[in-house]
Amino acid sequence: MIEWEMIAYHYNYYITIFLMVSGLYIVIARGNMIKKLIGLGLFQTSVYLLYLAPGKIIGGTAPIYDKAYQVYSNPLPHVLILTAIVVGVATLAVGLALVVRISEEYGSIDEDEIFEQDEDQ
Amino acid sequence: MYDATPETLLIASLVIPLIGALLIPLFHRHPNLRETVTLITAGLLASVVWSLYGPVMAGARPELVGPEIVPGLSIALKVEPLGMIYGLVASTLWIVNSIYSIGYMRGNNEPRQTSFYVCFAVAIASAIGIAFSANLITLFLAYEILTLSTYPLVTHKATDEARKSGRTYLMLLIGTSMVLLLPAIIITAAVAGTTDFTPGGILDGKLTPVLLSGLLALFVFGIGKAAVMPVHFWLPAAMVAPTPVSALLHAVAVVKAGVFTVVKVVVYIFGIDTLRQSGATDWFLWVASFTIIVASLIALRQDNLKKRLAYSTVSQLSYVVLGAAILTPLSLVGAAMHIAAHACAKITLFFAAGSIYTAAHKTEISELDGIGHKMPWTMSAFTIGALAMIGLPPTAGFLGKWFMLQGAAGSAQWLPIVVIVISTILNALYFLPIVHRAFFRGTATTSVDAGAVAAASVGAASVRDGEHHHHDDHGEAPFPIVLALCTTALMTLALFFFPEVPMNLANAMIQR
Amino acid sequence: MSGLQEHLPILQILVPLFGAILTAFTRRGITAWAIAAIASGIAPFISAGLLIRVLETGQPISYVMGSWAAPWGIEYRVDVLNAYVLLIISLIGLISIPYARKSVATEIDSHKQPWFYTMYLLCLAGLLGIVITGDAFNAFVFLEISSLATYTLIALGRNRRALLSAYQYLIMGTIGATFYIIGVGLLYVVTGTLNFADLATKLGPAMATHNKPILAAMAFMTVGISLKLALFPLHVWLPNAYAYAPSFATAFLAGTATKAAIYLLARIYFSVFAVVVPLKELPVSEVIIALSLAAMFLASITAIFEQNAKRMLAYSSVAQIGYITLGLALANKMGVAGGLVHMFNHAIMKTALFFALGAMAYRTGLGQMSSLAGIGRKMPITTAAFVVAGLGLIGVPGTAGFISKWYLAIGAINHGWTWLVFMIVLSSLLAVIYIGRFVEIAYFREPAPEIANAHEPPASMLAPLVILAAATIYLGFDTRLTGGTAQSIANYLLGGAP
């Protein structure tokens, strides 16, 4: 028997897990270094969702400190994920910069080709 | 020196050789000064160690406790009678050996003499450290430094053969000490809460007989320097070193450090009563006996003089182990006596081997026909050493065996008696032919050996000229060498007639 | 003065952080180096001040950011454990900085040097931040700061393979950090807090209702941090990264980077999970012990057959990390103390070893073992320092490494696993082989023509090396700083349990 209610309440987690696993798969399975970085980005993005989704309360407002608004969503995850996004962007930037340098040195961004070049030496 | 307290003397005995090691390189460019430093250091050290003898016999046990390095365990020194014997032997023979070294190293134009003397001084300092250590940690520390400081000496020639032997040396000594001895020490510390050398032992009633026996095995085989079979391979390998190294270190300091440690562990860690009551140590006796016999059999087959002496050492070391394994007070006195006796005798034999190498460039026994006529001093000293090895009076070798036999007979253990008798015969079989060859066979007319390329051209010319020339017509070795080997030969004899010092100390050891 | 003392925890981070900003504006390597030197020079005094205060009072120091009280705002919380690790990291920073000048000047293009020092200071700030913060998410941010700086440092190596190594490390490191943050997220969902101390109190009640997410969080965090600390078999990024990074970067990272990650592991286990999760029912400790043993043996064996000297030491690092995690996994007083002692000792010894190789590379430009034949005669002091530190790695008595191994062995016996003692000493024997191999090459072979002109490095490089080699010996005799502190940390972490 399928617990539809449970699935409905947790669908955000299923999306998170899907993103996480597909991101990780791309990192592992692809030889192209740019694609790997894309996979890594996807993997990190899934974490943002993991944090943000539980913070949202249905019917809640933004956290405004006023008697008129009794129910509000937790602001902390947003703050955290803002930081995490910055970290993610920085990582991607460093990663891409490395790929540019690798491409300059090796003339390729495919891992297999690059490893072959180094073995020849 | 007179108003120095025993504690000051104790610390001085460690510091003096280390200062020597620091000073020697300063005189790198002045060999004569450098050797003077070595001799002064050796002389000072021996006088310091000797001046500890009086206080120790008077019952003093000077003690120094250093920093606590792991919980409950400190670096600590303490002088007790057994350590005193070993300390006296090592420090006294260092003087003689230094004189010999000067003759040998110069006579053979050895390279890197400065580092040779530095390593030697460090090795002696660690030997003294072993002698006067108050607990297993300190002993282990000095034990490992001794191994490491002698490694450059063993590999001194820097040839491929030296490198290979160095590997064997290091891997066997470091290997056994790390893999067996260190766990044994750690387990002892964990079980007894201390590793202090205590009369009567520290393990009484703390382990079952089987575990006790296992721990003893870890110690006996872990102390690779005692060269109990099968962990003896490093000793023949170490013979690649220059002869003074083989003489003092691999006949005295290093190997005696091994058997000394075995005796010390048996007496002060296990306690002979504890071991005897456990009744699970028969294998100990068998291992020692096996080593004595088999090493003698191997020695019989060696033609290289130093190799034969090395296997003889393996065999003789196990006498000391046997003395410990018999587990009676008298046999322990025998073991302690044998440490001193074998030291004097074996160093004489090695000195003689080095003397022959320096003067005649000969290393094989088969080349020694008639050499006694050309090198009478050397070969007479050799004969005295050989008699001591066999254990005949009037040499010191007799005493150790005598006490061991008494101990064994007193406790009705027949195996050691049989072993000692057989091995005495074997000793005679592999030493007397050398003496016979040297004195009672005519001069060999073998061709020039490869070891003396320089001498060869002179030698070839001199054959035509007749006598009084090089190589086959060599004389005695340089004077320092002859002086050194005669001194040790005399000491071998003197120990038989005046055995008081080691005797008193050995008796003090077994009294509680 | 007392006001300044109040702010020590934040200053620990701010000093290198501001240094990093300043160096970014400099144009010349020497200016940047001077700034880095000042920042690195101040850091250990702050750490020492914190450690002394924590040891004296016996109470953790709490520092709250921006007046937001602890569970909501970010708290810096200094207890004996992190004060000790702070000291390790900042001391290695201090000792490395004189060495950096000449080494960096030859290995890094002059226009990149200021950036190099920026990255170094960011890395230092990040590592110190991981250790000082009491907030799980903040630790992640610092982890990424230090990691990003590290990727850059490694990529600046002269060989083009450095780029590849940096890229691979970036991929693995990011996965590791993300795993960690997933774990933190799960804990946050369950408890609503990110503060380590607060987590420890709130996880207990939460265990009753949400034990599965908590266990999942533990698994994610363990794997994530293990990637960063290079626990076998998650170490594959490390050998290449260490081998191709600039000499100075390798030496600094080998002493510090993995230590900060190990700290984080110790923190989440002993301060957070051990309090609430019935660890005894899970084979966590057994698994980590098994992996540590695998590291100690397999990585050491790999090191024996390695031809590149730096990579040999890198594999040795993997093995030595195994000792540290082994000690922590034993989870008894002596074992944990042993792991902590070895953190300090290994930092000292491995930095010294990499310094020595760096000095040889500085004079010869070579890094293959065989090409360094006879180097012992050309650079006697450098090689001798290498041997001393190598003896420490082996664990010869009289060196720091012996103390580590003694603690670990007693820890193993107290755990009831005497056989582990033999494993520990057997693996030490493997170190004899790989260090011995280098010694044989350095001393017994004739010097090759390529190194004919090699001689001792400049004093600024030689002095740090000799000091570290001397420290290897000194710490083998005076163990108050290492052993003494480690024991009080172990007491503190294990709550007085035997």
Side-chain angles (χ1 to χ4, degrees):
Chain A
M1 188 181 137
I2 305 168
E3 295 179 47
W4 289 109
E5 202 179 340
M6 154 126 180
I7 292 177
Y9 273 114
H10 291 82
Y11 77 96
N12 54 315
Y13 290 112
Y14 293 103
I15 296 175
T16 307
I17 292 168
F18 175 74
L19 286 177
M20 200 178 278
V21 175
S22 37
L24 208 52
Y25 174 78
I26 295 170
V27 174
I28 296 165
R30 294 292 149 182
N32 184 308
M33 291 182 155
I34 301 276
K35 287 186 182 166
K36 270 179 181 293
L37 286 177
I38 293 173
L40 203 62
L42 207 54
F43 181 50
Q44 286 178 303
T45 310
S46 72
V47 182
Y48 308 159
L49 195 58
L50 175 74
Y51 273 73
L52 290 176
K56 175 64 186 170
I57 293 174
I58 297 171
T61 66
I64 302 167
Y65 195 63
D66 190 289
K67 279 179 190 157
Y69 309 101
Q70 290 296 324
V71 182
Y72 57 88
S73 299
N74 188 347
L76 197 62
H78 295 86
V79 180
L80 298 176
I81 291 314
L82 207 56
T83 319
I85 288 172
V86 174
V87 169
V89 169
T91 311
L92 194 62
V94 174
L96 287 173
L98 283 172
V99 175
V100 169
R101 289 281 297 115
I102 289 172
S103 162
E104 283 171 8
E105 290 285 337
Y106 290 85
S108 168
I109 54 165
D110 188 88
E111 276 198 331
D112 294 336
E113 286 179 22
I114 289 170
F115 286 135
E116 265 176 36
Q117 282 191 30
D118 268 345
E119 273 166 24
D120 294 343
Q121 284 179 347
Chain B
M1 205 61 71
Y2 287 101
D3 38 353
T5 64
E7 282 75 19
T8 321
L9 293 173
L10 173 55
I11 196 80
S13 67
L14 271 181
V15 171
I16 287 172
L18 288 178
I19 291 179
L22 289 177
L23 287 179
I24 290 167
L26 295 183
F27 301 104
H28 176 60
R29 300 196 183 286
H30 310 280
N32 286 336
L33 274 176
R34 181 186 64 197
E35 266 74 303
T36 315
V37 172
T38 300
L39 284 175
I40 292 176
T41 312
L44 270 178
L45 175 67
S47 64
V48 165
V49 176
W50 273 102
S51 50
L52 275 167
Y53 172 67
V56 168
M57 280 320 295
R61 296 288 181 269
E63 204 171 348
L64 285 169
V65 180
E68 182 179 283
I69 58 164
V70 286
L73 300 170
S74 303
I75 296 289
L77 298 170
K78 185 179 179 183
V79 184
E80 46 74 47
L82 181 62
M84 202 62 223
I85 296 183
Y86 175 56
L88 285 175
V89 167
S91 62
T92 310
L93 290 179
W94 189 30
I95 306 180
V96 190
N97 194 72
S98 298
I99 298 170
Y100 182 83
S101 296
I102 294 166
Y104 183 89
M105 297 304 277
R106 293 185 177 189
N108 288 298
N109 287 321
E110 292 279 347
R112 296 185 297 285
Q113 295 195 17
T114 304
S115 62
F116 172 88
Y117 287 110
V118 171
C119 288
F120 223 115
V122 175
I124 293 295
S126 41
I128 299 293
I130 292 175
F132 294 154
S133 54
N135 55 34
L136 280 173
I137 293 258
T138 316
L139 187 137
F140 188 61
L141 168 67
Y143 184 95
E144 295 293 58
I145 296 176
L146 184 58
T147 307
L148 293 172
S149 61
T150 47
Y151 171 74
L153 293 172
V154 170
T155 56
H156 185 83
K157 286 186 177 147
T159 56
D160 260 0
E161 196 202 351
R163 193 170 51 87
K164 272 195 199 120
S165 303
R167 252 188 215 176
T168 313
Y169 186 76
L170 207 57
M171 283 314 287
L172 255 175
L173 287 185
I174 294 270
T176 50
S177 68
M178 289 263 259
V179 175
L180 303 172
L181 179 57
L182 179 58
I185 295 174
I186 293 172
I187 292 168
T188 308
V191 170
T194 172
T195 61
D196 289 350
F197 294 119
T198 313
I202 54 175
L203 289 170
D204 191 13
K206 294 202 166 118
L207 285 171
T208 63
V210 176
L211 287 178
L212 205 64
S213 169
L215 188 60
L216 181 67
L218 285 181
F219 273 112
V220 170
F221 294 108
I223 302 167
K225 293 195 170 103
V228 171
M229 282 185 176
V231 290
H232 67 284
F233 290 106
W234 63 271
L235 186 54
M239 291 304 136
V240 68
T243 305
V245 176
S246 309
L248 184 57
L249 296 177
H250 300 118
V252 181
V254 173
V255 290
K256 292 301 180 299
V259 288
F260 165 76
T261 308
V262 171
V263 175
K264 202 151 171 168
V265 164
V266 166
V267 175
Y268 294 123
I269 295 293
F270 288 92
I272 52 172
D273 295 334
T274 312
L275 278 181
R276 208 171 31 223
Q277 282 154 18
S278 82
T281 54
D282 282 350
W283 63 267
F284 191 22
L285 214 53
W286 282 99
V287 164
S289 308
F290 178 84
T291 308
I292 293 175
I293 303 291
V294 174
S296 299
L297 289 174
I298 299 175
L300 263 177
R301 296 177 46 228
Q302 302 295 321
D303 189 36
N304 183 294
L305 181 55
K306 275 177 80 178
K307 282 262 163 71
R308 186 176 287 193
L309 291 179
Y311 277 102
S312 155
T313 306
V314 173
S315 163
Q316 296 281 334
L317 287 174
S318 274
Y319 273 119
V320 181
V321 178
L322 186 74
I326 294 171
L327 294 175
T328 62
L330 266 181
S331 69
L332 282 168
V333 172
M337 287 299 295
H338 200 65
I339 288 181
H342 175 252
C344 293
K346 194 44 85 43
I347 201 172
T348 310
L349 292 172
F350 272 106
F351 281 171
S355 171
I356 294 168
Y357 175 74
T358 309
H361 293 276
K362 283 173 179 165
T363 54
E364 308 302 305
I365 293 163
S366 50
E367 301 168 344
L368 298 184
D369 289 358
I371 201 158
H373 303 294
K374 288 170 189 156
M375 304 178 73
W377 291 102
T378 299
M379 289 320 289
S380 306
F382 186 93
T383 310
I384 293 173
L387 291 178
M389 287 296 126
I390 302 164
L392 295 177
T395 64
F398 170 76
L399 295 173
K401 283 191 182 178
W402 178 252
F403 283 110
M404 277 184 233
L405 285 172
Q406 279 201 325
S411 57
Q413 302 183 56
W414 305 114
L415 173 70
I417 297 178
V418 174
V419 168
I420 291 174
V421 170
I422 294 178
S423 85
T424 303
I425 298 169
L426 287 172
N427 287 341
L429 280 179
Y430 65 77
F431 272 121
L432 292 183
I434 305 177
V435 177
H436 175 260
R437 205 183 262 278
F439 287 109
F440 303 109
R441 279 213 204 168
T443 309
T445 49
T446 49
S447 60
V448 178
D449 73 52
V453 182
S457 54
V458 186
S462 63
V463 169
R464 267 171 302 173
D465 297 348
E467 302 99 295
H468 309 303
H469 275 295
H470 218 83
H471 198 57
D472 271 344
D473 307 305
H474 56 83
E476 271 291 358
F479 175 70
I481 291 183
V482 177
L483 174 68
L485 63 88
C486 290
T487 313
T488 52
L490 282 178
M491 283 162 77
T492 311
L493 294 175
L495 261 181
F496 175 80
F497 294 106
F498 311 102
E500 284 81 9
V501 172
M503 202 65 193
N504 293 343
L505 287 167
N507 283 325
M509 168 185 79
I510 57 167
Q511 280 162 9
R512 287 221 228 140
Chain C
M1 193 61 209
S2 68
L4 193 63
Q5 210 179 9
E6 286 302 305
H7 293 289
L8 280 184
I10 187 69
L11 283 173
Q12 180 85 83
I13 308 302
L14 283 186
V15 169
L17 211 52
F18 270 118
I21 295 169
L22 282 179
T23 49
F25 288 105
T26 56
R27 298 213 164 265
R28 292 178 55 219
I30 182 84
T31 333
W33 174 78
I35 295 167
I38 294 169
S40 313
I42 297 172
F45 289 98
I46 300 177
S47 313
L50 287 171
L51 181 61
I52 290 167
R53 229 174 90 192
V54 171
L55 282 176
E56 271 175 3
T57 60
Q59 290 295 320
I61 303 168
S62 173
Y63 186 86
V64 180
M65 290 293 145
S67 312
W68 289 87
W72 296 283
I74 293 170
E75 182 196 18
Y76 283 6
R77 194 180 172 82
V78 183
D79 58 21
V80 264
L81 173 59
N82 45 10
Y84 174 76
V85 182
L86 286 174
L87 187 67
I88 298 178
I89 293 174
S90 55
L91 271 181
I92 295 295
L94 171 69
I95 197 80
S96 332
I97 202 73
Y99 185 91
R101 178 76 200 108
K102 298 267 179 175
S103 178
V104 171
T106 49
E107 290 187 21
I108 309 291
D109 296 338
S110 62
H111 68 281
K112 286 185 190 156
Q113 286 177 21
W115 294 111
F116 186 89
Y117 288 110
T118 310
M119 289 303 148
Y120 157 72
L121 284 173
L122 277 179
C123 184
L124 180 65
L127 293 172
L128 292 171
I130 298 169
V131 178
I132 205 168
T133 187
D135 183 282
F137 197 87
N138 198 227
F140 163 74
V141 175
F142 278 122
L143 190 66
E144 284 298 61
I145 291 178
S146 71
S147 300
L148 288 171
T150 307
Y151 308 145
T152 321
L153 286 175
I154 293 169
L156 286 170
R158 278 184 300 181
N159 191 314
R160 66 177 181 174
R161 291 185 204 197
L163 295 167
L164 269 188
S165 314
Y167 179 83
Q168 280 169 336
Y169 185 19
L170 180 132
I171 299 285
M172 308 258 318
T174 308
I175 292 175
T178 310
F179 264 66
Y180 169 75
I181 204 62
I182 290 170
V184 173
L186 291 173
L187 290 183
Y188 181 63
V189 169
V190 173
T191 61
T193 183
L194 292 166
N195 185 294
F196 286 129
D198 204 33
L199 271 174
T201 54
K202 290 202 174 137
L203 271 182
M207 238 349 238
T209 49
H210 295 93
N211 68 337
K212 275 182 189 152
I214 293 175
L215 292 182
M218 193 165 86
F220 268 111
M221 292 168 92
T222 309
V223 173
I225 301 172
S226 300
L227 251 168
K228 295 301 283 188
L229 68 77
L231 178 64
F232 190 91
L234 302 174
H235 67 280
V236 284
W237 58 268
L238 187 142
N240 277 337
Y242 281 13
Y244 297 119
S247 304
F248 164 69
T250 308
F252 174 71
L253 293 173
T256 54
T258 47
K259 308 293 178 293
I262 292 168
Y263 157 80
L264 199 56
L265 191 69
R267 176 60 80 199
I268 63 161
Y269 268 96
F270 291 110
S271 297
V272 179
F273 289 124
V275 187
V276 285
V277 181
L279 284 181
K280 294 267 185 306
E281 290 170 21
L282 297 168
V284 181
S285 127
E286 282 79 356
V287 168
I288 296 186
I289 288 177
L291 292 178
S292 307
L293 283 174
M296 285 153 57
F297 282 93
L298 298 178
S300 299
I301 291 170
T302 316
I304 291 173
F305 293 103
E306 190 51 61
Q307 296 305 320
N308 179 302
K310 271 171 94 178
R311 198 150 51 194
M312 175 192 87
L313 290 184
Y315 276 111
S316 148
S317 276
V318 176
Q320 300 288 324
I321 288 164
Y323 288 108
I324 303 177
T325 47
L326 174 74
L328 296 177
L330 285 172
N332 60 28
K333 209 178 275 181
M334 288 297 272
V336 171
L340 294 168
V341 169
H342 201 53
M343 265 170 98
F344 200 114
N345 292 342
H346 178 247
I348 300 277
M349 300 183 297
K350 202 38 87 48
T351 308
L353 289 168
F354 277 119
F355 273 177
L357 288 187
M360 291 170 193
Y362 177 79
R363 283 297 185 213
T364 65
L366 301 170
Q368 291 292 312
M369 299 266 274
S370 51
S371 64
L372 290 171
I375 196 78
R377 302 189 200 164
K378 297 285 174 186
M379 303 173 75
I381 303 178
T382 307
T383 317
F386 183 97
V387 172
V388 169
L391 291 176
L393 217 54
I394 295 167
V396 170
T399 65
F402 177 72
I403 309 296
S404 315
K405 284 180 188 163
W406 183 278
Y407 275 94
L408 290 174
I410 298 281
I413 291 179
N414 290 350
H415 196 74
W417 287 2
T418 307
W419 58 273
L420 258 183
V421 177
F422 291 94
M423 293 292 134
I424 292 170
V425 293
L426 266 177
S427 62
S428 310
L429 207 58
L430 296 173
V432 178
I433 301 178
Y434 61 74
I435 295 294
R437 207 164 71 100
F438 186 87
V439 170
E440 281 191 357
I441 290 174
Y443 286 105
F444 290 100
R445 298 218 190 137
E446 286 305 316
E450 294 92 61
I451 65 161
N453 296 321
H455 49 101
E456 294 293 354
S460 66
M461 291 173 85
L462 197 57
L465 172 60
V466 171
I467 291 172
L468 286 179
T472 305
I473 306 260
Y474 179 77
L475 291 173
F477 290 98
D478 185 348
T479 59
R480 285 169 297 183
L481 174 62
T482 52
T485 316
Q487 280 188 72
S488 43
I489 297 170
N491 276 337
Y492 169 77
L493 289 180
L494 301 171

